[in-house]
Amino acid sequence: MQNVETLLQPLLRIPGAPPPISPQELQRLRNQAWAEVAAIEASDPRYYRALADQVQHNAHMGVW
């Protein structure tokens, strides 16, 4: 909401919505989420096979 005039920002806020987070907190949460994804991928040998099958299917269907 940084691109909205400061006088209008309170009017556009959704009641009950959490406050915005800082860019540093957003980056920390993104890194945490990607670490969780990497852990899931590493812990399940079927995941890589499913991903490879999906890529092959998409290539066959002409989806890139």
Side-chain angles (χ1 to χ4, degrees):
M1 197 180 309
Q2 291 83 6
N3 60 342
V4 177
E5 176 65 39
T6 55
L7 295 173
L8 296 176
Q9 287 181 5
L11 300 174
L12 297 174
R13 289 201 176 98
I14 299 171
I21 60 175
S22 68
Q24 295 82 12
E25 179 68 8
L26 178 61
Q27 188 61 42
R28 187 189 69 75
L29 291 171
R30 283 183 176 157
N31 291 342
Q32 179 183 351
W34 279 115
E36 290 174 8
V37 168
I40 291 169
E41 291 174 355
S43 68
D44 190 356
R46 298 171 299 168
Y47 183 85
Y48 181 78
R49 171 64 188 209
L51 184 59
D53 288 347
Q54 182 181 10
V55 169
Q56 182 180 5
H57 171 75
N58 287 348
H60 175 72
M61 298 301 289
V63 179
W64 295 99

